[in-house]
Amino acid sequence: MTITMLYSKLHRATVTDANLNYVGSITVDAALLEAAQMRVGQKVDIVNVNNGERFSTYIIPGERGKGDICLNGAAARKVHKGDKIIIIAYAEMSEEEADRFKPKIVILNDDNTIAQAFEGLE
């Protein structure tokens, strides 16, 4: 049996743009993807702290070091520039893997720089 577990998250990212005229996805600064061990094309859930919206999309890379967090396509309707969001990635694991796995948590400052990064929930 496999179980869906938290893999990593970017916590309290600030939306820098919302681009309705794009095919879809979320653009995330490449350095933040690396810090959270997320991958281009990976499915993620987005939680909007400001309005409670929850939705899924996939990641495309943004320019490294710019701090970009941009919702594209239809998802752009669910956020406003300046909103705080949580970007959550999951992974399928065996129960044995889940017992040992520690998710990567990256907490961001208002300018999308890293305030804190750690592994585990305890």
Side-chain angles (χ1 to χ4, degrees):
M1 173 177 17
T2 61
I3 186 168
T4 304
M5 297 293 294
L6 173 64
Y7 176 75
S8 66
K9 73 176 180 172
L10 290 165
H11 192 75
R12 295 189 61 82
T14 303
V15 174
T16 58
D17 199 7
N19 182 357
L20 186 61
N21 297 313
Y22 190 85
V23 177
S25 69
I26 182 169
T27 303
V28 179
D29 179 310
L32 298 178
L33 292 179
E34 186 177 289
Q37 298 176 347
M38 293 179 180
R39 302 174 69 87
V40 172
Q42 184 174 13
K43 179 182 177 181
V44 290
D45 284 348
I46 309 298
V47 179
N48 188 326
V49 174
N50 293 78
N51 64 21
E53 288 278 1
R54 297 180 72 99
F55 54 94
S56 299
T57 190
Y58 63 93
I59 298 169
I60 62 173
E63 188 176 332
R64 181 176 297 277
K66 284 189 65 180
D68 288 341
I69 301 288
C70 178
L71 276 299
N72 302 303
R77 297 249 188 233
K78 298 187 175 284
V79 300
H80 293 285
K81 187 175 178 179
D83 281 358
K84 293 291 185 184
I85 63 171
I86 304 167
I87 304 167
I88 307 166
Y90 303 93
E92 295 290 323
M93 303 176 195
S94 69
E95 290 183 19
E96 294 79 19
E97 288 172 312
D99 287 342
R100 294 185 309 272
F101 186 75
K102 294 188 183 310
K104 185 75 170 184
I105 310 299
V106 180
I107 300 173
L108 301 179
N109 294 309
D110 289 342
D111 63 355
N112 291 331
T113 56
I114 297 172
Q116 186 178 10
F118 57 91
E119 292 183 356
L121 298 174
E122 299 173 1

